[in-house]
Amino acid sequence: MIRVAVIYPDSPGARFDMKYYTSHHMPMVQRLCGPACKSIGADQGVSGGQPGSKPANLAIGYLTFDSVEAFQKSFGPNAGEILGDIPNYTNIPPIVQISEVTL
Amino acid sequence: MIRVAVIYPDSPGARFDMKYYTSHHMPMVQRLCGPACKSIGADQGVSGGQPGSKPANLAIGYLTFDSVEAFQKSFGPNAGEILGDIPNYTNIPPIVQISEVTL
């Protein structure tokens, strides 16, 4: 299984609408990708490792697929619509990371 | 629920022993934290969003807890042993992020 982590780093002036992200954007991605998308998830940054410190990232989104190929085949044709929705919830250019789930 | 993401960025000379991490380190963290630790997980970076690109992070580890307090109370007393094991699998100073799981 692979996990696609979509990481939104914090920076001065960064904004992120978690309600829109969890209620609209991520369900839309799952619907467009269809059954190839096995799960969706989202984290809202609270802190770094030390209590009271700032989190490195305002948010992280997660998507899982059986394989990189399954991700590319289902996401690719919908990339325009998905990426076009980003300005509706954030002004942060996300860092996308594709990983093999090892545990 | 909160998720602790432990992010290991890639850099020249960085090394990460995923086998040790998944078979020894993460199970040790779960054992030391006890039932407060609800789940463990690990990702091995494959690529960025574009096929063939380098992933930003060599690895990401995940731990979930009911609350920040549950994490601190169970992790804190074992931090020395847990952090002391890091050089056994990597030379990367990890970035720790505590997040609220929102989806």
Side-chain angles (χ1 to χ4, degrees):
Chain A
M1 188 167 76
I2 65 132
R3 182 167 7 241
V4 180
V6 187
I7 302 169
Y8 298 87
D10 195 11
S11 66
R15 66 172 177 82
F16 193 95
D17 182 342
M18 183 57 77
K19 193 175 170 192
Y20 184 94
Y21 189 66
T22 56
S23 67
H24 181 87
H25 181 77
M26 288 297 272
M28 181 190 81
V29 175
Q30 189 172 39
R31 177 172 48 77
L32 290 172
C33 290
C37 179
K38 300 302 181 189
S39 72
I40 56 174
D43 286 355
Q44 174 149 8
V46 171
S47 73
Q50 298 301 317
S53 61
K54 285 191 76 172
N57 307 294
L58 281 192
I60 307 176
Y62 303 103
L63 305 154
T64 58
F65 297 83
D66 279 337
S67 65
V68 174
E69 293 68 31
F71 163 64
Q72 289 170 342
K73 277 177 79 167
S74 61
F75 187 93
N78 301 294
E81 185 169 353
I82 293 168
L83 302 181
D85 190 44
I86 294 180
N88 292 325
Y89 63 87
T90 190
N91 60 354
I92 304 169
I95 296 167
V96 177
Q97 162 125 9
I98 299 175
S99 301
E100 185 72 35
V101 177
T102 54
L103 179 68
Chain B
M1 189 168 74
I2 63 132
R3 182 169 6 242
V4 181
V6 188
I7 301 168
Y8 297 88
D10 194 12
S11 66
R15 65 172 179 82
F16 193 94
D17 182 342
M18 183 57 78
K19 192 173 170 193
Y20 184 94
Y21 189 66
T22 57
S23 66
H24 181 87
H25 181 77
M26 290 295 272
M28 181 191 81
V29 175
Q30 189 171 40
R31 177 172 48 79
L32 290 171
C33 291
C37 178
K38 300 302 181 189
S39 72
I40 56 174
D43 286 355
Q44 174 150 8
V46 171
S47 73
Q50 298 301 318
S53 61
K54 285 191 75 171
N57 307 293
L58 281 192
I60 307 176
Y62 302 103
L63 305 154
T64 58
F65 297 83
D66 279 338
S67 65
V68 174
E69 294 68 30
F71 163 64
Q72 289 170 342
K73 276 177 80 168
S74 62
F75 187 93
N78 301 295
E81 187 169 350
I82 291 167
L83 301 181
D85 189 44
I86 293 179
N88 292 324
Y89 61 87
T90 190
N91 59 354
I92 304 169
I95 296 166
V96 177
Q97 164 125 7
I98 299 176
S99 300
E100 186 74 33
V101 176
T102 55
L103 180 68

